[in-house]
Amino acid sequence: FSDESVVAIRVVFSDATVLRGYDTLTFSRDEARSDVIKKAERGSFEDIMIDDSFFYMRFFTNRWYIDYGYVFTAYPLTSCDLFLENTGESFENMEVREFFTPKPFCLNVDHTRHYQFPQGTDTILIEFIGEQSPELGNDLVFSRDAASEDVIRTIHGGIDEPQEFVFSDSQFYVRYTSQGEEPGVGFDFRATPRTACETFELSRGFTWNDLQSRTIESPHPYCDGMSVEHLCSFTHPRVVRVDVSFDESTSFGDSEDSLTFSASNQGEQQVRTFSQGQFENFSVDNASFFYQFSSNGQAVDQG
């Protein structure tokens, strides 16, 4: 296929195809058949996907049988055709995944994909990679459902600057739409799955702009060798003091595990330090504080 937009070919056999004896059809990328794509022989004939715009085909018959020969249709596919055929994937491991759209992006597209990470995934980090300048009308919607009703994040092409974000789930739907006259560059992004331990350790802390109480907990059971420092900040202008109380489930399994509260980072200006045993309620005369949690990983407990 000489059209420059063709990037792949799908070969579909007709039910009329019948090969007998040692008759074969060999599809290859070169005339000498040193780079064989598929050899079709008697029996079932499955569809063949060729990631190129051309192929060679050799038909061999030993003439011992009279049969029907072959009938197949070759469908040329563009990058947009392949993009629209992909409805998503379920992953068996926690590896980082990257997703790319055709360049230039496809016009008049409304396509949704579903991606599922394995059990143990607590959160997913989405980072946009490469050039990000989609045209007006080219939008990207991340959601928790196929109907895009439980929306996680929407990026409007030509309006929003794509920024990384994190959400709590092991799966997501992503809906691509393109209605503009200019195709633009599409959307390329990276999805990084994180366990509960990784999510907790990588957190930069917590910031709240209201007067509601907040509960902070480590993963149960917490993670081996964990060492974290988080900032807890109430930014509402009326907050002058924070009262800290411990849940009765709080427990450390080892005397070397510790929880240190301080008025500044890296444990400076310590307010209170707790280790194995009793955890007393206390107050911080400020609207924010740091806490350091350290576990040597020798005992599994509630954290």
Side-chain angles (χ1 to χ4, degrees), residues 8-24:
I9 302 170
R10 177 181 290 108
V11 174
V12 180
F13 287 96
S14 167
D15 292 339
T17 298
V18 178
L19 301 182
R20 297 176 180 175
Y22 296 98
D23 297 355
T24 58

Side-chain angles (χ1 to χ4, degrees), residues 3-299:
D3 192 298
E4 293 182 356
S5 64
V6 176
V7 297
I9 302 170
R10 177 181 290 108
V11 174
V12 180
F13 287 96
S14 167
D15 292 339
T17 298
V18 178
L19 301 182
R20 297 176 180 175
Y22 296 98
D23 297 355
T24 58
L25 280 171
T26 303
F27 294 80
S28 63
R29 292 185 175 85
D30 63 334
E31 192 170 3
R33 299 185 306 283
S34 60
D35 188 359
V36 174
I37 301 168
K38 182 82 172 182
K39 177 180 285 189
E41 301 174 294
R42 61 180 178 175
S44 61
F45 295 90
E46 300 177 348
D47 295 353
I48 301 174
M49 180 64 78
I50 302 170
D51 56 352
D52 217 321
S53 61
F54 72 95
F55 63 92
Y56 290 85
M57 190 210 73
R58 177 178 183 256
F59 176 48
F60 170 79
T61 175
N62 59 17
R63 302 181 183 179
W64 290 357
Y65 296 93
I66 297 175
D67 54 37
Y68 292 91
Y70 58 85
V71 179
F72 67 84
T73 303
Y75 296 92
L77 302 171
T78 67
S79 56
C80 285
D81 293 329
L82 295 177
F83 176 78
L84 295 174
E85 286 185 357
N86 186 340
T87 58
E89 188 176 355
S90 293
F91 306 116
E92 297 181 355
N93 54 52
M94 299 283 286
E95 293 180 359
V96 177
R97 306 288 174 168
E98 294 185 344
F99 308 99
F100 299 93
T101 51
K103 304 291 185 290
F105 192 50
C106 319
L107 292 176
N108 301 317
V109 167
D110 189 343
H111 180 59
T112 300
R113 292 179 176 180
H114 179 239
Y115 295 108
Q116 175 72 59
F117 283 95
Q119 185 177 3
T121 302
D122 178 67
T123 59
I124 299 174
L125 166 67
I126 300 295
E127 301 172 283
F128 292 92
I129 55 180
E131 182 184 359
Q132 296 292 332
S133 58
E135 301 290 336
L136 284 170
N138 292 4
D139 297 341
L140 194 64
V141 179
F142 292 85
S143 65
R144 292 185 171 87
D145 62 325
S148 299
E149 294 178 351
D150 188 0
V151 175
I152 301 169
R153 185 66 59 91
T154 299
I155 294 93
H156 297 287
I159 300 175
D160 300 329
E161 182 69 26
Q163 302 289 338
E164 68 176 56
F165 62 94
V166 178
F167 60 95
S168 299
D169 216 320
S170 62
Q171 59 88 38
F172 64 95
Y173 291 82
V174 57
R175 180 183 181 186
Y176 303 82
T177 58
S178 172
Q179 301 172 350
E181 296 181 358
E182 296 295 332
V185 298
F187 297 91
D188 298 337
F189 64 91
R190 178 187 301 117
T192 303
R194 291 173 175 172
T195 64
C197 290
E198 292 172 329
T199 299
F200 188 73
E201 289 187 281
L202 292 172
S203 171
R204 299 184 180 93
F206 314 93
T207 301
W208 308 288
N209 189 29
D210 54 34
L211 298 176
Q212 302 296 317
S213 61
R214 305 290 175 166
T215 299
I216 302 168
E217 57 183 325
S218 57
H220 301 325
Y222 64 73
C223 321
D224 292 346
M226 174 181 286
S227 180
V228 300
E229 181 176 67
H230 289 160
L231 168 66
C232 298
S233 178
F234 292 88
T235 58
H236 194 284
R238 292 175 57 190
V239 177
V240 295
R241 189 184 75 185
V242 180
D243 295 334
V244 179
S245 61
F246 288 96
D247 188 274
E248 61 183 11
S249 66
T250 299
S251 64
F252 290 171
D254 193 286
S255 59
E256 296 182 17
D257 298 352
S258 65
L259 187 62
T260 299
F261 293 82
S262 58
S264 61
N265 61 349
Q266 298 181 351
E268 298 178 1
Q269 302 180 43
Q270 291 186 11
V271 176
R272 194 70 65 89
T273 297
F274 299 96
S275 57
Q276 189 180 38
Q278 186 177 3
F279 296 87
E280 299 177 348
N281 301 339
F282 68 98
S283 297
V284 178
D285 294 325
N286 202 348
S288 64
F289 60 88
F290 290 85
Y291 75 85
Q292 288 182 315
F293 177 47
S294 178
S295 165
N296 63 9
Q298 298 302 311

